[in-house]
């Protein structure tokens, strides 16, 4: 008998019970096809002696019970129980390696070039599929690909963790320690946060239909009060709470980025500032790391490179703060955006790993909601943006801008967690719409998830992105993006945002035909199914009478006369797009013209240049852009 089997025998209390624990799943009873996953949870819970509410709660916090087309999460997790296998998931790199985007995005300083780093070894906690497979006497591929076996594997792991703690009980409140260990956390605060979220879910209950059409329900159990002291027996790190800018409801640690002087007058890896007294923080930028947690933290601590404000870990939602929010991180590739934003990185991959854990979504939403309230940042898609929505600074930088967190980040669910659901705000026939596809049912077939530009189809799965066409016909070509492709059409490559809109973004309506709606996009009419948008209200910007075209800008810099003699004037640099008379674009807000001059290590030399010009932020394409307020008329959309 193997050591694992011997341990299982001890907890089962006899060979007879052990045989039950290692048996194949219970025979399926006659039931509706959409109830199979509910039955799989019930069978696995009974087989391994795990309270079914605990099993459902853990799975919900990992995957929301979804199958995700058998693809790995951004933390190498598979199936409803998020069993992890690093051998088959994302390629380890970092978000800024191998491309041309200058994350600082400031013409007044030398470009910060991409840096190739040697990735750290992934932690053992991200390799749970093998232990689960051993407990089930099967192979890793089966546990990854078969939802029922995946659920059995998760139940087996929870039972094993419970046995290791020496707790014998079928009461859900006695499983807190096992749930905390399932998080994979290496510190007790993060493990507790994960377990607390699971038990909050158990108390409130939840019901939903999964991405593959399974109806699953966790009935509320408001009387379940777990024994939280069990987490102390896990032997995890118990560091003193660090000084961070995080809400109390998340696990947050300080991993500070160094502000350090370097040779040849250079310095890194962020800029000292005094926000919001010096400049208003009006944007929060959502990123993904394109690598694992350890590598992201190593990069943020490199004094010769770059840093952002926060990183969120996938497996348990642990947050690390690197840069104080008063200071300016180098993360968005656009200095105007950097100077007025907070950057939040999320462990994972925009393409090779295609879904984000519920633990990460919840922790991130709590952080972003806290920051938005603290700094008065509106909870909308003009101010809570992806890195893929940040504009290039000049025509030359457009093609190198990033596209994370990618088309598989669920903006609709994220805004639900923020308490600002994306929904209709206008009447039918409104001249403005909000993009709002049904995530699970919206399955555009992108290419290149294995390797950008490969042309190989990605797995068909839910997406927040809707593709635009040149005519009200799904077989018509995609739009062109002159900044990305010149006169060529955009593609379905997962990284190509030239003819793509995102959930929550708002656009001015340009027409209707059949079941299609046209919107103004990059100076063109882009067509999308009317079922993917809802009516909205707000302001639209259009050129003033008499102006045939007006310039579009990627940053809201001041007029030349606003700069003091000791600060180099920053060119306004119009973008290569055309905004012609008659076209309209949804307004995200009116913003001041500002330039934060920070080119030396000595903070005393830093100065905010403010101009008389004002700009209008508009949703011009997939990315936001800026218009001179003097060039436009603002009109209400009903």
């Amino acid at each position: 008998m193997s050591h694992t089997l011997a341990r299982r025998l001890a907890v089962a209390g006899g060979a007879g019970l052990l045989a039950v624990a290692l048996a194949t799943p219970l025979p399926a009873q006659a039931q509706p096809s959409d109830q199979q996953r509910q039955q799989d949870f019930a069978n696995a819970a009974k087989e391994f002696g795990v309270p079914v509410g605990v099993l459902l709660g853990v799975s919900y916090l990992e995957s929301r019970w979804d199958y995700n087309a058998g693809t790995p999460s951004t933390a190498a997790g598979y199936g409803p129980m998020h069993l992890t296998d690093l051998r088959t998931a994302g390629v380890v790199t970092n978000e800024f390696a191998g491309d041309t985007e200058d994350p600082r995005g400031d013409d007044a300083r030398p470009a910060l070039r991409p840096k190739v780093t040697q990735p750290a070894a992934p932690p053992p906690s991200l390799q749970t599929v093998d232990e689960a497979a051993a407990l089930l006497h099967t192979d890793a591929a089966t546990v990854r690909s078969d939802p029922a076996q995946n659920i059995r594997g998760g139940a087996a792991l929870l039972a094993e963790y419970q046995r290791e703690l020496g707790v014998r009980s079928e009461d859900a409140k006695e499983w807190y320690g096992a749930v905390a260990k399932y998080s994979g956390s290496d510190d007790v605060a993060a493990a507790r946060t994960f377990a607390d979220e699971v038990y909050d879910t158990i108390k409130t209950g939840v019901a939903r239909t999964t991405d593959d059409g399974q109806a699953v329900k966790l009935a509320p159990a408001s009387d379940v009060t777990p024994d939280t002291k069990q987490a102390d027996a896990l032997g995890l790190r118990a560091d003193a709470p660090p000084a961070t800018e995080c809400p109390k409801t998340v696990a947050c640690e300080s991993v500070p980025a160094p502000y350090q002087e370097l040779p040849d007058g250079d310095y890194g890896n962020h800029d000292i500032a005094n926000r919001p007294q010096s400049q208003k923080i009006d944007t929060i930028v959502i990123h993904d790391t394109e690598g694992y947690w350890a590598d992201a933290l190593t990069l943020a601590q490199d004094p010769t490179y770059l840093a952002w404000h926060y990183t969120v870990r996938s497996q348990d939602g642990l947050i690390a703060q690197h840069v104080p929010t008063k200071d300016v991180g180098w993360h968005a590739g656009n200095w105007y955006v950097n100077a007025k934003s907070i950057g939040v990185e999320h462990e994972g991959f925009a393409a090779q790993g295609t879904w984000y854990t519920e633990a990460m979504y919840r922790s991130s939403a709590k952080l972003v909601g806290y920051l938005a309230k603290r700094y008065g940042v509106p909870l909308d898609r003009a101010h809570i943006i992806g890195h893929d929505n940040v504009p290039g600074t000049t025509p030359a930088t457009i093609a190198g801008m990033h596209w994370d967190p990618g088309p598989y980040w669920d903006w609709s669910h994220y805004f639900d967690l923020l308490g600002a659901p994306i929904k209709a705000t206008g009447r039918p026939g409104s001249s403005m719409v909000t993009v709002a596809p049904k995530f699970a049912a919206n399955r555009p077939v992108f290419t290149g998830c294995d390797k950008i530009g490969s042309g190989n189809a990605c797995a068909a799965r839910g997406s927040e992105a809707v593709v635009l066409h040149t005519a009200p016909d799904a077989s018509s070509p995609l739009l062109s993006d002159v900044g990305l492709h010149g006169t060529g059409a955009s593609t379905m490559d997962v990284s190509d945002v030239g003819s793509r809109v995102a959930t929550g973004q708002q656009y001015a309506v340009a027409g209707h035909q059949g079941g299609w709606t046209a919107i103004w996009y990059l100076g063109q009419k882009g067509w999308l199914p009317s079922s993917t948008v809802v009516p909205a209200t707000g302001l639209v910007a259009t050129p003033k009478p008499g102006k045939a075209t007006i310039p579009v800008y990627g940053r809201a810099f001041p007029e030349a006369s606003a700069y003091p003699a000791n600060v180099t004037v920053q060119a306004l640099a119009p973008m290569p797009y055309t905004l012609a008379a008659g076209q309209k674009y949804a307004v995200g807000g009116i913003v001041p013209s500002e330039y934060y001059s920070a080119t030396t290590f000595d903070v005393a030399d830093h100065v905010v240049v403010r101009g008389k010009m004002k700009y209008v932020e508009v949703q011009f394409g997939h990315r936001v852009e800026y218009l001179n307020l003097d060039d436009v008329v603002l009109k209400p959309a009903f």
Side-chain angles (χ1 to χ4, degrees), residues 9-20:
L9 179 59
V11 73
L17 290 178
L18 175 65
V20 173

Side-chain angles (χ1 to χ4, degrees), residues 436-518:
K438 302 296 184 184
F439 185 88
N442 181 52
R443 299 184 171 222
V445 181
F446 295 114
T447 62
C449 286
D450 55 343
K451 182 180 180 181
I452 300 303
S454 71
N456 297 326
C458 303
R461 62 172 308 271
S463 173
E464 57 83 39
V466 179
V467 176
L468 298 176
H469 292 270
T470 54
D473 181 347
S475 63
S476 66
L478 306 184
L479 301 182
S480 62
D481 181 338
V482 65
L484 284 176
H485 308 295
T487 58
S490 299
T491 70
M492 287 299 292
D493 193 278
V494 69
S495 67
D496 189 343
V497 298
S499 188
R500 185 186 303 173
V501 295
T503 295
Q505 291 179 327
Q506 295 185 323
Y507 295 88
V509 173
H512 299 279
Q513 185 172 326
W516 292 76
T517 296

Side-chain angles (χ1 to χ4, degrees), residues 343-354:
V344 183
E345 289 275 2
H346 296 77
E347 180 188 21
F349 304 83
Q352 292 149 331
T354 56

Side-chain angles (χ1 to χ4, degrees), residues 104 109-110 112 260-268 304 330 599 601:
R104 197 162 45 207
R109 298 190 63 184
L112 198 61
Q260 183 173 321
E261 192 167 17
L262 303 170
D264 302 321
D266 197 8
Y267 68 92
T304 69
W330 301 347
T599 60
F601 181 72

Side-chain angles (χ1 to χ4, degrees), residues 314-530:
S314 180
Q315 68 193 58
D316 55 6
L318 175 64
I319 298 169
Q321 182 173 7
H322 312 298
V323 176
T325 57
K326 74 177 184 64
D327 295 335
V328 176
W330 301 347
H331 60 93
N334 182 312
W335 186 243
Y336 178 80
V337 176
N338 278 339
K340 299 178 71 64
S341 71
I342 294 171
V344 183
E345 289 275 2
H346 296 77
E347 180 188 21
F349 304 83
Q352 292 149 331
T354 56
W355 55 282
Y356 297 85
T357 66
E358 179 68 2
M360 173 180 279
Y361 276 129
R362 289 194 179 194
S363 186
S364 176
K366 288 179 179 180
L367 172 66
V368 169
Y370 162 82
L371 294 171
K373 183 177 181 180
R374 180 178 179 183
Y375 291 112
V377 178
L379 292 176
D380 60 41
R381 289 286 281 112
H383 298 89
I384 311 296
I385 66 175
H387 196 174
D388 57 335
N389 307 134
V390 176
T393 55
T394 67
T397 65
I398 294 173
M401 296 301 291
H402 285 195
W403 55 277
D404 57 297
Y408 304 116
W409 176 270
D410 192 342
W411 284 109
S412 180
H413 179 53
Y414 193 61
F415 270 78
D416 284 345
L417 292 173
L418 285 169
I422 294 169
K423 60 184 180 181
T425 57
R427 297 178 180 179
S430 171
S431 56
M432 182 189 293
V433 292
T434 299
V435 180
K438 302 296 184 184
F439 185 88
N442 181 52
R443 299 184 171 222
V445 181
F446 295 114
T447 62
C449 286
D450 55 343
K451 182 180 180 181
I452 300 303
S454 71
N456 297 326
C458 303
R461 62 172 308 271
S463 173
E464 57 83 39
V466 179
V467 176
L468 298 176
H469 292 270
T470 54
D473 181 347
S475 63
S476 66
L478 306 184
L479 301 182
S480 62
D481 181 338
V482 65
L484 284 176
H485 308 295
T487 58
S490 299
T491 70
M492 287 299 292
D493 193 278
V494 69
S495 67
D496 189 343
V497 298
S499 188
R500 185 186 303 173
V501 295
T503 295
Q505 291 179 327
Q506 295 185 323
Y507 295 88
V509 173
H512 299 279
Q513 185 172 326
W516 292 76
T517 296
I519 59 173
W520 289 113
Y521 186 97
L522 298 178
Q524 309 159 77
K525 286 185 178 181
W527 293 87
L528 73 171
S530 299

Side-chain angles (χ1 to χ4, degrees), residues 228-280:
T228 59
K229 292 182 179 179
Q230 289 182 350
D232 297 333
L234 296 176
L236 304 177
R237 288 190 297 114
D239 300 332
T244 58
E245 299 170 282
C246 290
K248 295 180 179 179
T249 52
V250 300
C252 190
E253 64 182 20
S254 177
V255 184
Y259 184 71
Q260 183 173 321
E261 192 167 17
L262 303 170
D264 302 321
D266 197 8
Y267 68 92
N269 55 15
H270 60 284
D271 275 293
I272 302 297
N274 190 31
R275 306 183 307 174
Q277 286 76 19
S278 57
Q279 285 184 284
K280 178 178 172 58

